[in-house]
Amino acid sequence: MRLICGILSLDGSPASAGRLGAMVQAMTPPGLAPVVDRRLCGPFATATVDFAVAGRIVERDGWVVAADMRLDAPGDEGTFLEGLARHGADFPDRIDGDFAVALWDQARRTLWLGRDFIGARPLVWTWKPGQWLAFSSLPKGLHGADLASRRPDPVAQAVRLRQSFFRGGDSGFLDVAYVPAGHSLRFGPGDEAPRLHRAYRPDPGSVGAWRGTPQDAADALRGLIDAAVKRRLPAGGLAASHLSGGLDSSAITVLAARGMRARGGRVLALSMTTARAIGPGHLDERPLIDAVLAQEPDVEHVVAHDALRLPGQEEEPDWPGGLVGGPDDQMMARAAASGATRVLSGVGGDEGATYNGANLYAALLRAGRVGAVARELPARARVDRVSLHAALFGRLLSPLRPRWVRRPSTSPMDPTLGVLRFLKPAVRHDVLSRSMPPILQTNSPRERVTAFTDHHIPSRCAYFAIMAARHGIAVSFPLLDRKVVDFMLSLPLDMFVSDGYARQPFRRAMKGILPDQVRLAQVKVGLFDQRFVDYAARKDDLLRAARALRASPSADDIIFDLDAVIAGLESLPGADSLDRATSGGRLALAPGTPPWLPLMAVECLIAAHRATALQTGPGAPEGSAPRGVDGPDHSHSIVPGGLDVTS
């Protein structure tokens, strides 16, 4: 893994070597000794921090280039110079691979930043007008050098609680923004503010244009995914891979195992499960994990057990809620200790390679694909082992009913009854307005594009990158390979259902690769009902903490409705229900209680505890941070707080 950082002085003074060193130090985990390369070029200074090989900063033709990169085609830092010369601000869209790059034009005194189309490599920035523009792979680089304050962005953090990840440029800090995935940023003489430009902008009009048979689609997809995995494997030694038992991670693990055998290497599979299998058996991922390991017996396997989240635990400072010593941290630590330099992850499958859109049969009917519906519904009835009438009602007619005749929503995304119930009414509108739009619902071309251009995937990639950086390794995402994503966006809806199964053509493509127990599994959610048991055992302590927080002077200054949080905690099973909870998990909840409700009440209690701790902690210097701007040149960025940017 390589991290980059830099600072551009805007007040006429040379860039500070001391601040550059502080950025490097802040991003270097304890106990690791990366190779560091530095360049001081008058007002501009940059550094690379490399944990795998000797890092280097390239100087060529009057340019200085610092890049964190894994390119799909042979190339080096010069690839970015060529891309910028040919395509200007669109260069991030024209280079395939995982990258975050900074390019300094010494003659024109202009700085360019760029990030790959899906945000596989992180890159954050901050700007203090008239003083500096600084960038870093990780927020801690900016914080550690006092280039940006640690002030939280409460609305962005509430969005993360509601939707699990941040949107666009949001980092959770008011004075720090990510360069959004697939964007470039430029700042030079004459620019009143940094200019963000959206380079990656797929056309919804071209979605679904591919033509061919289901088998043609499966063959093409299999080749693309196999190539994507191989491009991300090391030449030998150890490759690490997440293995949850689902379609995505299982396929990557099997293909990686086969690829590493051919190279004389091996694979370490990393799984997270609860310590005990409590709850509905059909949600248990363990048998699916076991099926993959039985088929690939030389794959080494490590299990990190789910950790119980509680107020006051140590968190990764770059990711609010990222648990130090939690299962993701443990898996990254084990991968690094075993000699892996990169972990392969199945992130992005639901939105692309294993497309998991809701109500596809209804979507096909709306699109006029009556023949596909007539062909596939009977096949689905056979797979589901239900009558054709039941399949017709459940898969087609029920989703087509108007909303006013459906049951009341119990979704955590519901704007009235969902996670927003735990926030004070005054902030709910702001949280909704900065939340990500729905995806995987209507299956429209625009929604399919939005899944890759304005949703959670870059933030999810950033989370894994942050946890991996704690151990000096990187994460790569084969199912987010540009060729795979482009191909899946080209497929029409009827390619996603075949032979009575959704998530096609992936299932067909993985025949002979995945065990059928995994390939044809209809459900793999993960069994986390042990949380209900463990939280039930601590219910009184959680309620005590929430009531103490409600009574504290800082309760008025946070965004959480602690009365609602307490009501959510009250829905946990009590001590008198522990035996029932131990045997049934969520079944011990009162009838009508959505399983997410008490768990999100705990998460909001943790976040409220964090917010009050930050309010009473030491202050930090304040910079400025970005605002979202729409512009005529395809720029549209969601970035935090109060720093103005030009589009």
Side-chain angles (χ1 to χ4, degrees):
M1 181 180 195
R2 182 184 298 168
L3 305 175
I4 65 173
C5 60
I7 181 171
L8 175 60
S9 176
L10 305 178
D11 61 4
S13 64
S16 168
R19 273 192 156 145
L20 186 69
M23 296 170 82
V24 169
Q25 183 178 3
M27 293 195 298
T28 303
L32 298 185
V35 176
V36 178
D37 193 15
R38 296 178 174 88
R39 292 291 187 280
L40 299 174
C41 309
F44 179 71
T46 188
T48 57
V49 184
D50 208 311
F51 298 91
V53 295
R56 63 183 186 137
I57 296 168
V58 170
E59 296 186 61
R60 184 180 301 175
D61 300 328
W63 288 82
V64 179
V65 184
D68 170 20
M69 62 183 184
R70 183 212 57 80
L71 300 181
D72 287 354
D76 57 17
E77 284 80 357
T79 301
F80 300 105
L81 292 175
E82 294 165 7
L84 183 57
R86 287 187 180 185
H87 307 293
D90 277 338
F91 80 90
D93 182 49
R94 307 304 177 93
I95 299 171
D96 292 345
D98 310 338
F99 62 84
V101 62
L103 306 102
W104 170 243
D105 184 342
Q106 299 189 77
R108 296 178 179 83
R109 301 240 165 168
T110 297
L111 175 65
W112 287 88
L113 303 177
R115 196 168 171 215
D116 65 80
F117 90 105
I118 206 65
R121 298 295 171 96
L123 185 61
V124 295
W125 65 286
T126 193
W127 176 52
K128 194 162 188 179
Q131 297 190 45
W132 61 70
L133 189 157
F135 63 90
S136 173
S137 292
L138 304 173
K140 58 171 61 77
L142 302 177
H143 292 150
D146 286 341
L147 292 164
S149 81
R150 294 177 173 82
R151 289 187 302 161
D153 181 343
V155 173
Q157 294 200 16
V159 170
R160 187 199 67 79
L161 277 171
R162 182 173 183 256
Q163 297 184 305
S164 300
F165 298 97
F166 295 112
R167 181 183 185 183
D170 284 349
S171 69
F173 303 100
L174 278 171
D175 298 339
V176 175
Y178 282 93
V179 174
H183 279 63
S184 62
L185 181 150
R186 189 199 78 184
F187 188 77
D191 289 334
E192 294 182 0
R195 299 180 65 88
L196 272 172
H197 173 77
R198 181 186 290 281
Y200 174 60
R201 44 185 192 275
D203 177 14
S206 65
V207 171
W210 186 89
R211 294 295 179 264
T213 68
Q215 190 59 51
D216 292 339
D219 292 342
L221 182 59
R222 177 172 178 158
L224 290 171
I225 293 174
D226 189 39
V229 172
K230 287 177 178 175
R231 278 195 290 270
R232 289 160 172 80
L233 294 177
L238 180 75
S241 176
H242 284 146
L243 176 60
S244 71
L247 286 171
D248 307 328
S249 65
S250 298
I252 290 169
T253 299
V254 171
L255 290 171
R258 296 181 179 184
M260 290 307 294
R261 279 188 212 111
R263 304 176 189 209
R266 65 194 200 281
V267 165
L268 173 68
L270 307 165
S271 299
M272 178 182 73
T273 70
T274 52
R276 292 180 286 168
I278 299 171
H282 70 284
L283 300 181
D284 193 358
E285 67 271 60
R286 290 171 178 80
L288 303 178
I289 293 171
D290 291 343
V292 172
L293 297 174
Q295 178 184 285
E296 311 292 330
D298 60 340
V299 170
E300 301 172 31
H301 188 225
V302 170
V303 176
H305 289 310
D306 183 41
L308 196 67
R309 300 274 290 111
L310 294 168
Q313 291 172 323
E314 183 182 2
E315 296 181 343
E316 161 54 46
D318 284 344
W319 188 273
L323 185 59
V324 172
D328 289 322
D329 196 23
Q330 290 180 44
M331 288 189 287
M332 297 301 181
R334 184 59 182 269
S338 299
T341 59
R342 186 180 301 155
V343 174
L344 303 189
S345 169
V347 167
D350 283 359
E351 296 75 24
T354 61
Y355 186 76
N356 196 23
N359 304 320
L360 280 170
Y361 301 94
L364 284 169
L365 187 63
R366 288 192 183 100
R369 305 305 296 265
V370 178
V373 174
R375 179 182 67 249
E376 287 302 323
L377 263 183
R380 187 62 188 246
R382 289 192 294 271
V383 168
D384 290 346
R385 298 182 180 181
V386 299
S387 68
L388 180 57
H389 179 270
L392 180 68
F393 180 79
R395 299 285 177 180
L396 191 61
L397 298 182
S398 181
L400 291 173
R401 290 183 300 172
R403 291 188 179 275
W404 60 270
V405 300
R406 300 181 197 175
R407 295 177 181 174
S409 171
T410 58
S411 167
M413 295 299 103
D414 186 89
T416 303
L417 301 175
V419 175
L420 289 178
R421 72 172 70 198
F422 298 123
L423 303 178
K424 291 176 180 175
V427 301
R428 292 175 188 173
H429 177 268
D430 290 341
V431 173
L432 273 177
S433 66
R434 283 175 64 180
S435 290
M436 292 170 270
I439 58 170
L440 303 176
Q441 299 301 310
T442 68
N443 306 291
S444 69
R446 184 165 298 281
E447 191 185 70
R448 289 170 64 186
V449 165
T450 295
F452 294 104
T453 60
D454 187 20
H455 221 264
H456 73 285
I457 291 176
S459 181
R460 193 175 181 193
C461 293
Y463 166 73
F464 280 122
I466 287 167
M467 300 309 290
R470 292 174 51 80
H471 308 282
I473 61 175
V475 185
S476 196
F477 310 94
L479 299 186
L480 293 173
D481 185 274
R482 180 63 180 269
K483 292 180 177 64
V484 173
V485 170
D486 286 351
F487 179 69
M488 292 306 297
L489 286 175
S490 78
L491 292 181
L493 283 182
D494 56 340
M495 287 292 124
F496 298 145
V497 291
S498 181
D499 305 326
Y501 289 93
R503 309 191 79 171
Q504 298 281 24
F506 189 88
R507 293 187 196 270
R508 187 191 294 254
M510 291 299 111
K511 190 171 184 178
I513 295 176
L514 287 178
D516 278 355
Q517 181 181 352
V518 176
R519 186 175 70 90
L520 302 178
Q522 298 279 46
V523 177
K524 199 292 298 181
V525 176
L527 195 59
F528 294 102
D529 286 50
Q530 185 178 333
R531 292 178 186 175
F532 295 106
V533 180
D534 294 341
Y535 281 134
R538 294 165 175 79
K539 179 176 179 178
D540 291 343
D541 292 337
L542 292 168
L543 284 169
R544 244 189 318 271
R547 288 167 181 147
L549 205 56
R550 183 177 59 183
S552 71
S554 55
D556 292 338
D557 300 324
I558 60 175
I559 65 173
F560 296 96
D561 182 339
L562 291 170
D563 287 330
V565 170
I566 289 169
L569 296 174
E570 291 281 14
S571 69
L572 283 166
D576 56 343
S577 303
L578 271 180
D579 289 343
R580 189 154 50 95
T582 301
S583 61
R586 71 192 67 191
L587 300 178
L589 297 172
T593 302
W596 59 264
L597 193 148
L599 300 183
M600 281 308 306
V602 175
E603 288 296 324
C604 289
L605 172 61
I606 293 168
H609 182 276
R610 182 191 313 122
T612 55
L614 287 171
Q615 285 182 359
T616 57
E622 295 184 4
S624 296
R627 285 188 198 280
V629 178
D630 268 315
D633 62 345
H634 311 287
S635 296
H636 176 71
S637 304
I638 306 296
V639 281
L643 178 69
D644 293 323
V645 296
T646 304
S647 297

